[in-house]
C-alpha cells in the first residue's frame, strides 16, 4: 500500500506542511476528525502542483475560525450554509475547511438539502471520482486513504468520470469544472461522462447553475496556471457567458497576461513566489466594463482575493511613486525599498510601469544588482574571522553590499580596507599540552594539529588560511540568496545576512575557527588521541605475523 503520509510530506511545500499541522492541531483541540480531501489528494497522487488544501472535518468547521485566526489565518469567507471556511494560512497557503455533509437534490437549480455527515457520505456528494478521495489525518488512522469510487484507478487511466448519471443535472457547475480539469490536465472525459456532458449541454442544464457556483468558478479561474487556455475552452463550450454575459477572450489583455506569467516564472527562478491570482483577474477582465468587473468581484466568495484585485492599481501606483522619489535615490536605497515591497506588487508594477526609470530599477533589482553580491570578498572575510558566527556579521555583510551597490567601494582593496577594522580580535592560543610527556604529549599535539591549524598555532594566519577559509566560505552563499517565502521580503540582506541562522550550524559541526580551538584541545585529545597512544603498540606486531 502506498505511504500517503510520506507522499504528503514530500509533495507539500514547507508552508503547506505547516498549514496541515496548524489545521490538524485546531481540529484536534476541537475534538473533530479531520481529512484532507478534493484536489489536494488528486494532485498528491498525480504529481501535479498542489494549488490549495481542501480539508473536511466531521463537525462544524466554523468553530475552528477563532483558533485559526489566532494562529495567523486570514478568513476570506465563512459560509454559514455549508459551514465552510475559506482561509489564507501563513505563508500564503490557500485552504478550505468544510463540514462533512450529505447533499440531497430535490430540483435542478435549487440548492441541495444538506446535513452533517460522515466522511464517506461526504465523498458521495463530490463531482468526479478523482476528486472524491479523502486522507485521514487523525491519530490511529493517519494516512488511511478513503477512495470509495476508485478515483486512484481513474487517475492512473487519466480520465474524468462523474460519480453518477445525474451529476450534471444536479449541479450544472460540474460542466464548467469538467472543462476546467480537462483543459488543465489534458485528460479526456470518460466515455459515458462525455455522453452525459453532451446531453447536459444540449438540454441547456447550465441555466440551472446557482449563483454561488458561478462565484466559485470565477474565483478558481484566477488560480489556473493557464487561465487564458481555460478561458478559451470556456468560451468554446459556451460557459464563459455563464460567468458573465459580456466576457470573451477579446476582453482579455493577452499581452499583459503573457508578460505576467513570464515575469512570474523569472521571479520563481530567483526564489520569489508571488501570488498572481489578483493580477490574473486584472488582465482577464482588462477590457470589460466597470459594471461587469464589479459584478464579477461581488460573485467571488474569497474576499481577500477581491480586495487584492481592487488594490492592485493603487498599490502599484504608490510603489512607482516611491521608486521615483528620494526614497529610491541610490541603488542601495532602491534595493532596500524593493526588498521590503510585496513580491506581487513588484511583479505587477514590472509589467505595468509607465515610467522607464521605474521599470529599469525593477530590472536592475532582479538582474544587475544581484551580481554585485559576488563582489563581496567572502574568503578574505573568513580569513579576517568575519564569519556568520559573529553577531555583527549580518550587518557587516549587508553594509558592504550596500556600499558596493552604490559604488562607494570600488575595488577589492577598498573593500578589504573597509573590512579590516571590523574584524574581531584573533582567537586566543590553546593552553599548552604541558601535563603530558613523551608519546602521550606527541599524540596530543598531533591530534590538535589534525583538528585545525588555527588551534595549534594560535595564529589565524598562513596555516589556518586554506582549510578554515574553505569550510567557512561554503555556507555563505556568493550567489543571490533566495527569499524564503512569497510573503517574506527577500534579499534586503542579500548575502550572508539573509541566512546567518542557517549557516551557523555547518561550521560548528566541522569545528573550525574559534570554536575549533576549544574542541581540539578538549575533545579530540581526550577522546581520540588517548586510545591511539595506548593502542599504538598493539597493531605493530601484526605486520610481523604476516611476515
Ligand atoms: P483545484 O483546487 O486544484 O482547482 P479541486 O478539485 O480541489 O481542484 P475545488 O474547487 O478546490 O477543486 O474543490 C474542492 C473539492 O470540492 C473538489 O475536489 C470536489 O471534491 C469538491 N467540489 C467542488 N465543487 C464541487 C461541485 N460543484 N460538486 C461536487 N463537488 C465539488
Ligand atoms: Mg482545491
Amino acid at each position: 500500500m502506498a505511504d500517503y503520509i510520506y507522499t504528503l510530506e514530500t509533495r507539500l511545500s514547507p508552508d503547506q506542511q505547516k498549514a496541515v499541522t496548524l489545521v490538524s492541531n485546531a481540529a484536534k483541540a476541537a475534538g473533530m476528525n479531520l481529512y484532507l480531501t478534493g484536489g489536494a489528494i488528486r494532485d498528491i497522487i498525480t504529481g501535479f502542483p498542489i494549488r490549495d488544501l481542501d480539508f473536511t472535518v466531521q463537525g462544524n468547521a466554523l468553530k475552528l475560525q477563532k483558533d485559526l485566526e489566532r494562529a495567523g489565518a486570514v478568513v476570506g469567507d465563512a459560509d454559514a450554509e455549508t459551514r465552510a471556511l475559506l482561509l489564507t494560512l501563513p505563508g500564503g497557503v490557500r485552504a478550505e475547511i468544510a463540514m462533512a455533509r450529505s447533499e440531497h437534490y430535490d430540483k435542478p437549480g435549487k440548492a441541495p438539502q444538506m446535513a452533517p455527515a460522515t466522511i464517506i457520505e461526504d465523498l458521495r456528494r463530490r463531482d468526479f471520482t478523482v476528486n472524491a478521495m479523502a486522507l485521514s489525518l487523525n491519530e490511529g488512522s493517519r494516512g488511511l486513504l478513503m477512495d470509495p469510487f476508485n478515483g486512484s484507478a481513474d487517475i492512473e487511466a487519466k480520465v474524468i468520470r462523474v460519480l453518477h448519471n445525474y451529476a450534471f443535472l444536479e449541479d450544472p457547475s460540474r460542466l464548467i469544472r469538467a472543462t476546467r480539469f480537462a483543459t488543465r490536465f489534458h485528460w479526456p472525459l470518460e466515455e459515458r461522462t462525455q455522453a452525459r456532458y453532451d446531453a447536459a449541454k444540449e438540454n441547456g442544464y447550465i441555466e440551472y447553475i446557482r449563483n454561488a457556483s458561478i462565484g466559485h468558478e470565477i474565483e478558481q479561474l484566477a488560480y489556473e496556471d493557464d487561465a487564458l487556455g481555460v478561458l478559451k475552452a470556456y468560451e468554446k463550450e459556451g460557459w464563459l457567458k455563464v460567468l458573465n454575459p459580456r466576457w470573451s477572450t477579446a476582453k482579455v489583455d493577452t499581452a499583459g497576461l503573457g508578460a505576467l506569467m513570464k515575469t512570474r516564472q523569472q521571479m520563481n527562478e530567483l526564489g520569489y513566489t508571488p501570488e498572481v491570482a489578483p493580477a490574473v483577474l486584472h488582465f482577464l477582465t482588462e477590457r470589460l466594463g466597470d459594471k461587469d468587473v464589479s459584478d464579477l468581484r461581488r460573485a467571488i466568495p474569497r474576499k481577500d482575493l477581491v480586495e487584492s484585485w481592487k488594490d492592485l492599481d493603487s498599490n502599484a501606483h504608490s510603489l512607482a511613486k516611491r521608486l521615483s522619489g528620494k526614497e529610491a535615490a541610490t541603488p542601495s536605497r532602491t534595493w532596500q525599498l524593493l526588498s521590503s515591497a510585496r513580491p506581487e506588487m513588484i511583479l505587477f508594477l514590472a509589467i505595468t510601469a509607465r515610467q522607464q526609470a521605474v521599470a529599469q530599477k525593477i530590472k536592475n533589482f532582479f538582474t544587475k544588482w544581484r551580481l554585485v553580491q559576488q563582489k563581496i570578498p567572502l574568503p578574505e572575510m573568513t580569513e579576517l574571522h568575519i564569519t556568520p558566527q559573529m553577531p555583527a556579521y549580518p550587518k557587516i555583510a549587508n553594509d558592504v553590499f550596500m556600499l558596493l551597490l552604490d559604488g562607494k567601494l570600488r575595488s577589492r582593496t577598498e573593500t578589504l580596507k573597509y573590512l579590516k577594522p571590523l574584524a574581531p580580535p584573533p582567537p586566543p592560543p590553546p593552553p599548552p599540552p604541558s601535563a603530558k610527556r613523551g608519546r602521550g604529549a606527541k599524540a596530543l599535539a598531533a591530534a590538535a594539529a589534525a583538528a585545525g591549524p588555527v588551534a595549534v598555532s594560535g595564529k589565524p594566519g598562513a596555516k589556518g588560511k586554506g582549510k578554515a577559509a574553505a569550510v567557512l566560505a561554503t555556507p555563505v552563499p556568493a550567489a543571490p540568496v533566495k527569499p524564503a517565502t512569497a510573503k517574506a521580503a527577500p534579499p534586503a540582506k542579500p548575502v550572508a545576512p539573509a541566512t546567518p541562522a542557517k549557516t551557523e550550524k555547518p561550521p560548528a559541526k566541522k569545528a573550525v575557527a574559534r570554536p575549533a580551538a576549544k574542541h581540539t584541545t578538549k575533545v579530540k585529545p581526550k577522546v581520540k588521541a588517548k586510545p591511539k597512544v595506548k593502542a599504538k603498540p598493539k597493531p605493530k606486531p601484526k605486520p610481523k605475523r604476516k611476515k
Side-chain angles (χ1 to χ4, degrees), residues 39-40 52 54 220:
D52 56 25
D54 300 299
Q220 293 301 311

